[in-house]
């Protein structure tokens, strides 16, 4: 554990408390109400309203008031409130979030691959979002967020192995209400959000919500003078609630969100060394071109990229949720259509050299889903949920890549042997890759059908047994086709032409293939919960999860005939087995709420990067998605909330996780072990990538009457120990531990108007959020630095 993390942990410990499974009441509790115990937190983790303390499962809840008070408007911000949730994003498309280290943590490979599903389900108002990129968008007007840990297939629409993020927006109301706020801060940060709701008739109500965020860039491009990594997001949601009587209601919603920004790039972080020839490593290559980056200190936040940069992406959809109370049970229908458009361009060499001029992968996703559920009503000795789920998805993409005049000598070298049997060197023209690139089309389609159910049997008052099963059947089809374009004509002897042609194809080679995968799987869970006393629940559970297989949609390694190796096209499903025990308790008139759990998870056929060991790769290691035999994660989690003084609420949570590649015989080699030939390395026994061993979050809310109004203070802080940010587990890709602290103080006038001063990253911590090894494996490592401290003010109005 690093000294930085230890000091941050001590700072967090003085606050003592964070957000748990029992958590969040409004930060704006009045001083008069502060003597009361914590209000029950109602969750829908088992698809019916329940007190979180009575749900025998590991979960964390963040209420809407806390989201507003902490300025949390996206999934990334949730990691400052929930320690077991990890988030990494090089850009909105390459977004990954994991729970307990499981999901899809290999950002650059997994989440840019349209044929692979996430291991963490992302739901908004019961609708599954198939692409993790949609979780990068801002959200507004949220009722609460539930993080559910472990396999969730017996109750949720789409099967997930690592857990689920279940977001519920505020519903239309039959009483008029409204909210508006505007904020301004450092780097010309401007954010406006608000909502309005009320009745249209006695049986129809509406709600309209929106958020808009703008911010200047926080990375200085010394070449162009334009600051990079700006923010520019907008989101709007409209809802209608039809309630003709007390037995039936329908909630119809439509939403649209977009992200347009001069974003997203990284800065030089460090240079690693390999076992390649010195001429093929970064120091020599940089001298060859007379190049020096503006800084290797990521805290300077400077870049000199010379290529285009920009993101233009949007998503939205329409959904209808119908609930019909038939007396002993409620029938629920969830019908939805969603789309996602992605268009971005980036300088993927991350330098001021014209190595790669552009990488551009526009794509479009459409998904349709239908869920039907029957859930028992009330507290019965036998409770149940049964359901059917159908899902269809289509993703069409166009992978475009273009190299520049510095590409050949940087990626191939100045000379190459004529052939493996004739080492006579051939001079490589400096313009061999200038204008050389690829274009093409990808088409991926999924059809998924499932039947699921779960039964709770209260054997006698203290003891409840739970059992659930799910059967899922899926068909997936993938088509991938790319072709080479551009580049100068190659001249010389036949041997020279062959050698130079093969060298160019080794950098980028068009390929066409089709693949199909069909799979059916049975998964389930069993649980025993024992209520030892009023407000004291213990439980033990077993769950068998299933993450569906996928199709590699980013190109395949080549066989000896230089054809796509079709045997690598299909990625097998993951099989997750989780054992868990836990305790939930409340004491002192519910002024203290505590939840503790311990778990052990084994994942067979874990979907991860495997290395191509074929003979045709000349410029870079070829990684592709496949399965490794076994991954193990075990850990302990604790959550607490306490009302310690009138007006003072403390929250705390801790997550300890030990994740290991139990068997990983053919992993990518760390940079320091790479040679001129492509090879795989045995990573068995090494720690799981992108998983901090320790994570702590803490928070404080204090309200005190002053004059005719109230002063309120909010603080939240999060600390994480170091972890490896790349699946190769190189010593050069280690990300150090860090602490992020946010705070605000405000005054609420008697009229309800609030004036707030806020600070994001109050202590101006400098840390690396994620990193990338430059294509070509020269040894250059790039990183995304944390956002600098932002200070500003907010004006809020409530109707």
């Amino acid at each position: 554990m690093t000294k930085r993390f230890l000091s941050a942990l001590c700072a967090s410990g003085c606050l003592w408390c964070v957000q748990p499974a029992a958590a969040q009441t409004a930060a704006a509790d009045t001083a008069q109400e502060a003597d009361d115990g914590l209000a029950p937190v109602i969750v829908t983790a088992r698809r019916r309203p329940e007190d979180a303390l009575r749900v025998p499962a590991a979960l964390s809840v963040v209420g809407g008031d806390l989201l507003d008070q902490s300025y949390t408007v996206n999934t990334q911000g949730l990691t400052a409130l929930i320690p077991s949730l990890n988030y990494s994003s090089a850009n909105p498309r390459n977004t990954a979030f994991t729970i307990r280290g499981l999901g899809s943590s290999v950002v650059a490979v997994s989440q840019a691959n349209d044929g692979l599903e996430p291991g963490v389900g992302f739901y908004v108002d019961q609708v599954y979002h198939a692409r993790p990129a949609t979780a990068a968008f801002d959200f507004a007007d949220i009722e609460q967020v539930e993080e559910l840990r472990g396999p969730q297939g017996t109750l949720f629409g789409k099967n997930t192995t690592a857990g689920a993020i279940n977001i519920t927006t505020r519903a239309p109301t039959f009483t008029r209400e409204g909210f508006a706020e505007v904020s301004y801060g450092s780097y010309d940060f401007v954010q406006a959000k608000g909502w309005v709701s009320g009745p249209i008739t006695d049986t129809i109500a509406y709600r309209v919500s929106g958020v808009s965020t703008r911010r200047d860039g926080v990375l200085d491009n010394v070449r162009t003078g334009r600051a990079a990594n700006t923010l520019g997001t907008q989101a709007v949601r409209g809802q209608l609630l039809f309630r003709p009587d007390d037995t039936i209601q329908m909630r119809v919603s439509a939403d649209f969100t977009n992200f347009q920004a001069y974003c997203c790039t990284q800065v030089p972080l460090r240079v690693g060394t390999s076992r390649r020839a010195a001429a093929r490593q970064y120091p020599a290559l940089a001298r060859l071109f007379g190049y020096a980056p503006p800084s290797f200190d990521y805290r300077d936040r400077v870049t000199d990229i010379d290529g285009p940069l920009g993101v233009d992406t949007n998503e939205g959809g329409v959904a209808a949720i119908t609930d019909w109370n038939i007396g002993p049970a409620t029938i629920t229908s969830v019908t939805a259509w969603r789309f996602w458009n992605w268009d971005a361009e980036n300088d993927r060499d991350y330098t001021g050299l014209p190595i790669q001029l552009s990488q551009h992968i526009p794509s479009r996703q459409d998904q349709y889903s239908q869920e039907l559920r029957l859930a028992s009503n009330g507290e019965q000795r036998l409770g149940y949920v049964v359901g059917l789920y159908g899902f269809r998805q289509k993703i069409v993409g166009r992978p475009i890549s273009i190299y520049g005049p510095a590409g050949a000598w940087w990626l191939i070298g100045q000379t190459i042997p004529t052939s493996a049997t004739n080492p006579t060197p051939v001079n490589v023209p400096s313009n061999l890759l200038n204008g050389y690139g690829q274009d093409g089309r990808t088409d991926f389609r999924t059809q998924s059908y499932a039947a699921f159910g779960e039964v709770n049997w209260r054997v006698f008052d203290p003891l409840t047994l739970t059992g659930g099963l799910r059967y899922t059947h899926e068909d997936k089809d993938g088509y991938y086709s790319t072709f080479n374009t551009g580049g100068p004509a190659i001249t010389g002897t036949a041997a020279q032409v062959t050698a130079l042609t093969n060298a160019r194809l080794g950098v980028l080679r068009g390929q066409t293939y089709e693949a199909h995968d069909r799979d059916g799987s049975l998964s389930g869970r069993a649980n025993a919960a024992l209520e030892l006393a009023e407000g004291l629940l213990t439980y033990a559970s077993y769950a068998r999860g299933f993450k569906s297989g996928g199709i590699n949609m980013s190109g395949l390694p080549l066989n000896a005939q230089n054809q796509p190796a079709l045997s690598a096209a299909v990625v097998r499903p993951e099989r997750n087995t989780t054992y868990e025990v836990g305790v939930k308790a409340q004491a002192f008139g519910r002024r203290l709420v505590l939840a503790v759990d311990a778990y052990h998870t084994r994942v067979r056929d874990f979907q991860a990067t495997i290395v191509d060991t074929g003979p045709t790769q000349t410029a870079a290691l070829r990684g592709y998605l496949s399965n490794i035999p076994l991954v193990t994660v075990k850990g302990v989690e604790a959550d607490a909330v306490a009302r310690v003084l009138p007006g003072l609420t403390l929250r705390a949570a801790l997550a300890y996780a030990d994740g290991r590649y139990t068997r990983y015989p053919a992993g990518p080699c760390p940079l320091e072990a790479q040679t001129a030939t492509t090879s795989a390395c045995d990573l068995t026994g090494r720690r799981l990538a992108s998983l901090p061993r320790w994570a702590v979050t803490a928070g404080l809310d204090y309200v005190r009457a002053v004059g005719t109004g109230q002063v309120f203070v909010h603080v939240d802080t999060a600390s994480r120990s170091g972890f490896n940010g790349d699946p190769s587990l190189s010593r050069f890709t280690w990300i150090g531990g860090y602490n992020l602290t946010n705070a605000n103080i405000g005054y609420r006038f008697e009229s309800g108007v609030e004036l707030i001063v806020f600070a994001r990253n109050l202590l101006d911590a400098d840390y690396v959020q994620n990193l990338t090894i430059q294509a070509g494996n020269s040894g250059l490592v790039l990183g995304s630095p944390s956002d600098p401290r932002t200070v500003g003010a907010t004006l809020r109005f409530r109707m």
Side-chain angles (χ1 to χ4, degrees), residues 503-573:
R504 190 155 73 176
L505 290 174
V507 173
L508 200 62
R509 182 189 297 264
Q511 55 181 263
T512 299
Y513 61 89
E514 295 183 62
H516 173 75
D517 183 39
R518 170 177 290 184
D519 189 77
S521 178
L522 184 68
S523 56
R525 67 175 174 180
N527 181 290
L530 184 63
E531 192 169 1
L532 298 176
E534 181 69 25
L536 178 59
L537 177 75
T538 63
Y539 65 90
S541 65
Y542 162 86
R544 179 71 182 272
F546 164 80
K547 177 185 173 184
S548 62
I551 296 176
N552 275 300
M553 296 300 297
S554 297
L556 297 177
L558 304 177
N559 58 24
Q561 291 73 43
N562 285 332
Q563 296 299 313
L566 295 180
S567 60
V570 174
V571 183
R572 296 190 303 276

Side-chain angles (χ1 to χ4, degrees), residues 92-294:
R93 176 183 173 89
N94 291 349
T95 294
F97 45 93
T98 62
I99 293 176
R100 295 172 171 172
L102 300 175
S104 297
S105 58
V106 187
V107 176
V109 177
S110 300
Q111 299 313 316
N113 193 319
D114 293 333
L116 186 72
E117 293 187 354
V120 176
F122 186 76
Y123 296 83
V124 179
D125 288 338
Q126 306 184 50
V127 176
Y128 172 71
H129 289 219
R131 300 313 302 157
T134 64
F137 293 109
D138 286 356
F139 45 68
D141 202 9
I142 301 300
E143 179 69 30
Q144 71 180 22
V145 177
E146 302 168 15
E147 183 226 29
L148 313 175
R149 302 190 279 274
Q152 301 296 322
T154 63
L155 288 169
F156 276 77
K158 200 70 172 67
N159 208 355
T160 53
T161 54
I165 298 173
N166 186 29
I167 297 176
T168 304
T169 65
R170 295 185 177 104
T173 60
F174 286 92
T175 57
R176 296 193 181 278
E177 63 177 42
F179 172 92
E181 76 168 39
V182 60
S183 301
Y184 179 80
S186 312
Y187 302 93
D188 281 336
F189 170 83
V190 178
Q191 185 176 82
K193 63 180 180 178
W195 58 82
V196 61
S197 183
I200 298 176
T201 69
D202 291 341
T203 59
I204 303 175
Y206 75 95
R207 193 176 194 97
V208 178
S209 315
V211 59
S212 177
T213 305
R214 290 283 186 276
R215 190 204 64 194
D216 291 344
V218 294
L219 303 183
D220 292 327
N221 189 332
V222 298
R223 177 178 294 272
T224 66
R226 183 178 180 184
N229 288 13
T230 64
L231 289 179
T233 66
Q234 301 84 37
V236 62
R237 173 182 294 268
Q239 301 181 72
L240 289 174
L241 177 62
F242 301 90
R243 188 179 291 165
D245 56 47
D246 293 337
T247 64
I248 191 168
Q249 70 172 27
M250 175 184 286
R251 183 177 172 187
V252 179
S253 64
D255 66 275
F256 177 80
T257 305
N258 81 309
F259 182 99
Q260 292 177 307
Y262 185 64
C263 182
C264 304
T265 191
Q266 297 177 305
V267 301
L269 183 62
R270 62 181 70 101
V271 173
T273 56
S274 68
R275 296 181 182 177
R276 296 184 172 203
R280 301 302 308 135
Q281 298 193 48
Y282 178 84
L285 292 170
R287 286 194 300 269
L288 175 65
F289 289 93
Y291 174 75

Side-chain angles (χ1 to χ4, degrees), residues 577-626:
T577 302
T578 297
Y579 301 89
E580 182 175 295
V581 294
V583 177
K584 294 186 177 184
Q586 58 93 4
F588 310 114
R590 206 179 173 107
R591 288 180 175 82
L592 172 65
V593 172
L594 177 69
V596 180
D597 67 82
Y599 65 91
H600 186 282
T601 297
R602 292 166 59 89
V603 184
R604 297 188 180 277
D605 287 330
F606 184 75
Q607 295 170 354
T609 302
I610 299 295
V611 171
D612 173 25
T613 57
T616 61
Q617 208 65 32
T618 60
L621 291 171
R622 177 66 182 222
Y624 63 96
L625 287 171
S626 188

Side-chain angles (χ1 to χ4, degrees), residues 356-443:
Q356 186 172 20
L357 299 181
S358 176
Q359 182 164 309
H360 196 199
I361 314 175
S363 60
R364 161 86 183 201
Q365 182 216 221
D366 287 272
Q367 67 171 69
Y368 304 84
S369 60
Q370 174 63 58
E371 184 171 354
L372 289 173
R373 294 195 308 270
L374 178 69
S376 59
N377 290 330
E379 290 285 341
Q380 307 292 335
R381 186 165 294 276
L382 192 68
Y384 59 87
V385 175
V386 294
L388 300 172
Y389 182 76
F391 174 82
R392 297 184 66 182
Q393 176 190 41
K394 176 182 178 181
I395 309 176
V396 177
R398 185 184 175 191
I400 303 170
S401 186
I402 303 173
Y403 287 90
W409 285 1
W410 190 279
L411 297 174
I412 298 173
Q414 293 180 280
T415 62
I416 55 173
T418 305
S419 67
T421 57
N422 183 3
T424 303
V426 174
N427 292 326
V428 176
S430 62
N431 68 341
L432 182 65
L433 295 182
N434 191 20
Y436 180 71
Q438 77 170 16
D439 201 341
R441 175 183 172 86
T442 65
D443 190 320

